[in-house]
């Protein structure tokens, strides 16, 4: 609790007919129950609550109840109601309350005042503090995907999110998407972004991908930057992005908030949280392909996605079926991986430290990347290549993964790379070399256990700022010849090879899984852009934060 000299207001108010000492500072709203007697009771805990002002959603003044206008029928219920209201002025504060598993909910407390002037003074003071918080959004552009997941996006927004936005005084412009990439195209060409403080997507990871592709592309065009050039340093987006989870996969939301709960995400938006996020640009021969924020997977994860796309009729179960099928098929792929190691940063892929709210590694490495980009803005890439920092690995791989975040989800609480960071300007390049099915199964099972999943002889991981991949067949064949070979092979041999993996006709190439989308090229150039976008989030809070808040007087 703050020193009395820093308090803005302090009064004796009532909560449910009990007397409380209530104080307001620039950072905290605190109410503590007054002792009924001066006798000290060591085993009777004092009732004390504190809420950060930044986590107050809104305050409203309750209408004055006039006891003389109520019909008195002598019932016990009416007497109790009249005693509770007692013709006094009251105001209600809505605030964030933390629950288990990183969930937030909207709680409220009503304070009763004996004087109307005191009540209005409290209401106006709290509203002034909320208005002075410039990080809170006032106007939002909302895109709803009505077809994603279980087709519940519109219902989730209208029933759970919109009422909270209304209570917080946030105005919204809502667009229900009608076709694939509707949101991306609208952001690219039509949206008047200057009118809004942020963009909100209601859907899954696919909807979020649409939003970032439209917003990043629009930002680069407005700044005169060519997005097709892999050497260009992209300009950060000014608008923050909010994610209301309503899809079949909500990995981005889970990794940045800690839960896939629409109410929690809405409250993070309301209080104006901000979490920077790295974005990887993926190019092929100086042609832009896609942006990635979570996983780039070649080999196993690319094959699983390609196979599952042909089984969409199975619903979410298609991922399990395709995963088992690809595990039994056990394809490996030859190629060359070149990468630019992340120099001068703190943290490694095998650290015990996890990326959490207020991560010092993200802050340090983000500042380091910012200073480096200012110093070497024009010739950073050429200097790096000429100085021999690039490293090359050739071999046969079961999987090549690049994790820009932990990629944690309910099935894999640690994720593919538990120590990966959201905003440190790097990605963790994970190479799984050819091994037996048993060993590969050991690697996959470690994603769901507490064991170090990189402590295997056939697995290596590198923290990189940029990497390139060249499949073996692309080193001699043109892309046109590759496409012809791909089509003819699928038409003639696909059924035999898929049903009989032991025939020896394993494919020479896989597909890249880019945040759940298949890339059209296998030879790619990937560059990490540090803190290119910002989310309405604060990262996953450490568990001690929740434990402390169960005893608010410890704040």
């Amino acid at each position: 609790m703050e020193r009395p000299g820093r308090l803005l207001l302090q009064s004796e108010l009532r909560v449910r007919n009990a007397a409380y000492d209530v104080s307001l500072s620039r950072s905290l709203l605190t109410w503590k129950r007054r002792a009924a007697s001066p006798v000290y009771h060591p085993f009777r805990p004092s009732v004390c609550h504190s809420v950060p002002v930044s986590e107050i959603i809104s305050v409203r003044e309750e209408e004055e109840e006039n006891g003389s206008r109520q019909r008195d029928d002598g019932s016990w219920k009416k007497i109790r109601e009249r005693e509770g209201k007692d013709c006094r002025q009251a105001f209600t504060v809505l605030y964030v309350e933390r629950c288990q598993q990183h969930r937030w909910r909207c709680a409220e407390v009503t304070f009763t005042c004996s004087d109307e002037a005191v009540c209005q003074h409290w209401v106006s003071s709290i509203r002034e503090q909320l208005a002075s918080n410039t990080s809170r959004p006032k106007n939002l552009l909302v895109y709803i995907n009505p077809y994603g997941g279980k087709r519940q996006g519109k219902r989730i927004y209208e029933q759970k999110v919109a009422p909270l936005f209304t209570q917080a005084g946030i105005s919204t412009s809502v667009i229900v998407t009608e076709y694939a990439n509707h949101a991306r195209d609208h952001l690219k060409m039509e949206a008047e972004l200057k009118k809004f403080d942020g963009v909100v997507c209601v859907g899954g990871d696919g909807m979020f991908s649409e939003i970032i592709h439209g917003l990043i592309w629009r930002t680069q065009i407005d700044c005169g930057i060519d997005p097709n050039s892999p050497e260009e340093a992209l300009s950060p987006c000014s608008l923050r992005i909010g994610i209301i989870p309503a899809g079949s996969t909500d990995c981005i939301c889970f990794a940045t908030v800690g839960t896939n709960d629409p109410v929690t995400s809405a409250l993070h938006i309301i209080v104006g949280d901000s979490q920077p996020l790295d974005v990887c640009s993926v190019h092929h021969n100086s042609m832009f392909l896609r942006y990635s924020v979570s996983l780039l997977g070649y080999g196993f994860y690319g094959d699983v996605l390609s196979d599952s796309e042909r089984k969409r009729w199975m619903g979410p179960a298609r991922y399990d079926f395709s995963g088992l099928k690809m595990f039994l098929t056990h394809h490996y792929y030859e190629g060359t991986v070149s990468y630019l190691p992340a120099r001068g940063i703190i943290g490694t892929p095998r650290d015990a430290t996890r990326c959490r709210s207020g991560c010092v590694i993200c802050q340090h490495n983000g500042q380091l990347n910012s200073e480096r980009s200012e110093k070497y803005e024009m010739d950073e890439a050429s200097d790096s290549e000429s100085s021999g920092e690039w490293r090359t690995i050739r071999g046969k791989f079961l999987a090549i993964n690049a994790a820009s975040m932990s990629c944690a989800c309910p099935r894999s609480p640690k994720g593919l790379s538990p120590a990966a960071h959201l905003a440190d300007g790097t990605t963790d390049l994970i190479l799984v070399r050819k091994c037996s099915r048993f060993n590969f199964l050991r690697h996959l099972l470690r994603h769901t256990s507490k064991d170090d999943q990189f402590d295997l002889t056939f697995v290596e991981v590198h923290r990189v700022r940029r990497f390139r991949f060249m499949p073996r067949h692309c080193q001699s064949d043109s892309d046109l010849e590759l496409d012809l070979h791909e089509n003819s092979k699928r038409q003639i041999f696909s059924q035999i090879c898929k049903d009989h993996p032991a025939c020896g006709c394993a494919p020479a190439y896989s597909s890249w899984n880019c945040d759940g989308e298949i890339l059209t090229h296998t030879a790619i150039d990937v560059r990490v852009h540090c803190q290119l976008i910002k989310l309405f989030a604060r990262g996953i809070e450490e568990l001690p934060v929740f434990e402390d808040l169960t005893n608010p007087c410890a704040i």
Side-chain angles (χ1 to χ4, degrees), residues 152-167:
Q152 297 295 308
K154 192 174 181 181
R155 182 192 65 82
I156 288 174
Y157 178 77
E158 292 176 348
Q159 295 184 9
K160 296 185 177 182
V161 179
L164 291 173
F165 284 171
T166 301
Q167 288 178 340

Side-chain angles (χ1 to χ4, degrees), residues 150 165 235 396 522:
K150 298 180 180 179
F165 284 171
S235 179
K396 301 175 181 179
T522 53

Side-chain angles (χ1 to χ4, degrees), residues 279-348:
V279 177
C280 292
S281 61
V282 185
H283 289 79
H284 170 77
N285 290 342
S286 298
M287 178 182 68
F288 170 76
L289 297 181
R290 287 189 70 83
Y291 294 115
S292 170
V293 296
S294 59
L295 172 67
L296 274 165
Y298 183 83
F300 178 74
Y301 289 104
D303 292 346
V304 169
L305 181 63
S306 298
D307 188 75
S308 65
E309 283 299 298
R310 295 190 288 269
K311 299 177 177 61
R312 297 188 70 88
W313 54 271
M314 294 180 63
R318 67 185 185 271
Y319 298 112
D320 296 328
F321 180 84
S322 296
L324 177 61
K325 179 180 176 181
M326 291 302 107
F327 171 76
L328 295 175
T329 303
H330 202 60
H331 285 156
Y332 66 86
Y333 304 94
E334 294 187 63
T336 302
V337 179
S338 302
Y339 64 91
L340 192 61
R343 300 286 190 181
I345 63 170
I346 58 175
T348 69

Side-chain angles (χ1 to χ4, degrees), residues 33 46 103 134 187 191 198 228 230 248 372 374 387 394 420 435 475 482 490 509:
R33 187 168 183 171
S46 61
R103 287 175 176 259
T134 57
L187 281 169
N228 280 311
S248 56
R372 182 185 291 123
E374 291 177 1
S387 62
R394 295 180 178 86
C435 62
Q475 296 172 4
L482 172 61
R490 284 185 175 177
Y509 57 89

Side-chain angles (χ1 to χ4, degrees), residues 327-395:
F327 171 76
L328 295 175
T329 303
H330 202 60
H331 285 156
Y332 66 86
Y333 304 94
E334 294 187 63
T336 302
V337 179
S338 302
Y339 64 91
L340 192 61
R343 300 286 190 181
I345 63 170
I346 58 175
T348 69
R350 299 184 66 176
D351 281 344
T353 305
R354 301 292 181 259
C355 187
R356 293 295 182 259
S357 180
C359 178
V360 294
I361 292 179
C362 288
Q363 294 174 6
H364 176 272
N365 295 347
Q367 180 65 27
L368 189 68
N369 274 280
S370 177
E371 294 173 356
R372 182 185 291 123
S373 62
E374 291 177 1
K375 189 174 181 181
Y376 304 107
E377 185 175 2
M378 301 302 295
D379 55 357
E380 176 184 1
S382 59
D383 281 353
S384 299
E385 293 183 30
S386 62
S387 62
E389 290 186 12
W390 283 86
R391 297 182 181 179
T392 301
I393 299 175
R394 295 180 178 86

Side-chain angles (χ1 to χ4, degrees), residues 44 59 251 258 280 364 416 542:
R44 182 186 299 173
V59 59
C251 294
C280 292
H364 176 272
L416 290 180
E542 291 282 7

